[in-house]
Amino acid sequence: MKPIRTLVWAMVLALSLTACGGQTPAESDSLPESQTPEAAPAQTTEAPLPAVAGDFYAVRSDWGYNTLFNAGDVLYELRPQTGYCLLYKIDCAAATRQVLCSVPGCPHDSESCPAWLPGEIWDCITFATEDTVYVYKYRTDWENMDWDTYYQNNVEPYLNDETMRQGMTQEEFETFHRNRYTQRTQPACLYAVERDGSAQKRIDLSENLEGTVTLGWCDGTALYGSMHTISSDPSLGYRVDLATGQVTNFALQPGESVLAAWGKRLVTGRFVTQIPLPDAETDGEAYQAALQNSTVECDWLDPATGQREKLLELPGKLFTENSDFCGMAGGQLYFEERENQPGGGNVRVALRSFDLETGQWQDVPEDGAWLKDPTVVGLPHIAAQEGRYLWFSDGDGNGNVRMQILDRTTGILQETALTPRQAVGQEDLGRLPLTDDGRFLLCPDGMGGKYDFDYVLIDAEALLQGSTDWTPVTTLER
């Protein structure tokens, strides 16, 4: 299914996207064992922001699960177990995967393990800095009840129901729900794990951010993003300090949202109208009419100083129906325009990229397949950030998918040797990670019954030449 990423929703409506958080102050530079402090009171500030520390990089994607992060020579992944999750490290050179825990003799089944998190993978993002791996969980308030009430409603009636237990023992079923309850009722928090797997700490944010705050970019010391409300009031930008967990606001213009980031600046977008936008819910026709006569302006923005520079302007009419902002890779913003068909559905009539360095537009070679979100979720220095390969896929309506890869350096669009079933498996992953040694990480067999992936590695050029001679990634014993 195609994800909804229209600029209308990205810039005018609040996106229900995964948010990322920060940390409370640590008493020392080392990470203590897991802790579960009480929810911190809201302390959002509008104090001056420090300068952007380093080049921005994306920590989340709009397609697939936000549980896999590319560090070039290794990848970090959050994987579900029975009632809890574990962080794993994929070593690309060794083609191995193992729990991110270096504690001798650890069974990896409780909060004493640095890689252990309660609950499920939903509402989580996995990302890293140079020395720490993070998992962020935003506030959900999924169950507004105490544990005893939850137990009586969701656990006790089904203890003897084998169908509801789905193969779990009664004890496992209770543990599953206890951890699920813990995850869903705790405040927005960040789990910080040393990259050597030696320790973890849990940190609550200074404000209990919800999923309507989209924090998708990191500068190595803080996370940045925005939340938009449908009104004439200025929008809010958010910065979350990874060292302290302090949430700080920065001002955006009315209707403005953060779309991407490149170098040390954010890329924002907003509709510009001659009159204030009417209320979309109470006066939808007038609202749509105003958008038809608007323009879409994208700006460079330095969040620390508020300095902005106009990047590009497009007719608002173009983005009120069947056009998508697809994402950004290698300094290119990708846009597609689609056209309704008389018998229903729509087809793409244009796919173009905008070069952030040169300010030039260019057509992207394609043959009608969907361009998956090209956003590279990984550290800023890795090879994948060059955005060399773009992934397209298309289905025949019968559960079969074909997969294509565009090599931007040659302009050649090629079909892969993946079978329709294998291509479906790759779609489960939601992205096409490229390692620093020039290999793709694939999951051709798709996900298991618990959203579990089995990976392989293959040289990118070999795959494009039709090879399926890949190397399985072996999961090491705990």
Side-chain angles (χ1 to χ4, degrees), residues 186-260:
Q186 67 189 186
C189 65
L190 195 80
Y191 296 90
V193 181
E194 297 278 11
R195 284 184 68 172
D196 65 0
S198 60
Q200 179 205 109
K201 64 178 177 181
R202 183 195 130 183
I203 307 108
D204 290 338
L205 274 59
S206 65
E207 180 183 352
N208 198 6
L209 297 180
E210 300 187 19
T212 51
V213 177
T214 303
L215 299 176
W217 298 272
C218 183
D219 69 351
T221 63
L223 292 156
Y224 294 76
S226 61
M227 179 177 69
H228 179 78
T229 57
I230 306 174
S231 71
S232 59
D233 297 329
S235 302
L236 283 178
Y238 286 79
R239 178 186 186 273
V240 177
D241 192 293
L242 296 181
T244 67
Q246 183 66 48
V247 181
T248 308
N249 291 138
F250 57 94
L252 296 174
Q253 297 186 14
E256 187 174 30
S257 297
V258 179
L259 300 180

Side-chain angles (χ1 to χ4, degrees), residues 300-315:
W300 285 116
L301 175 66
D302 182 336
T305 64
Q307 181 178 357
R308 66 175 59 244
E309 176 186 342
K310 187 174 179 179
L311 182 60
L312 60 92
E313 185 174 301
L314 300 164

Side-chain angles (χ1 to χ4, degrees), residues 49-126:
L49 270 63
V52 174
D55 287 345
F56 282 115
Y57 56 95
V59 299
R60 57 164 305 280
S61 171
D62 283 347
W63 186 269
Y65 301 103
N66 289 294
T67 58
L68 186 71
F69 185 85
N70 192 346
D73 56 348
V74 299
L75 292 96
Y76 297 100
E77 179 189 29
L78 186 66
R79 294 171 63 92
Q81 310 297 314
T82 303
Y84 60 96
C85 298
L86 288 175
L87 271 171
Y88 281 76
K89 172 184 175 180
I90 300 173
D91 186 318
C92 299
T96 58
R97 175 178 55 200
Q98 63 186 114
V99 179
L100 185 62
C101 172
S102 59
V103 178
C106 181
H108 315 311
D109 60 359
S110 72
E111 63 182 355
S112 63
C113 174
W116 188 95
L117 284 76
E120 303 168 287
I121 62 172
W122 318 120
D123 309 330
C124 291
I125 288 179
T126 303

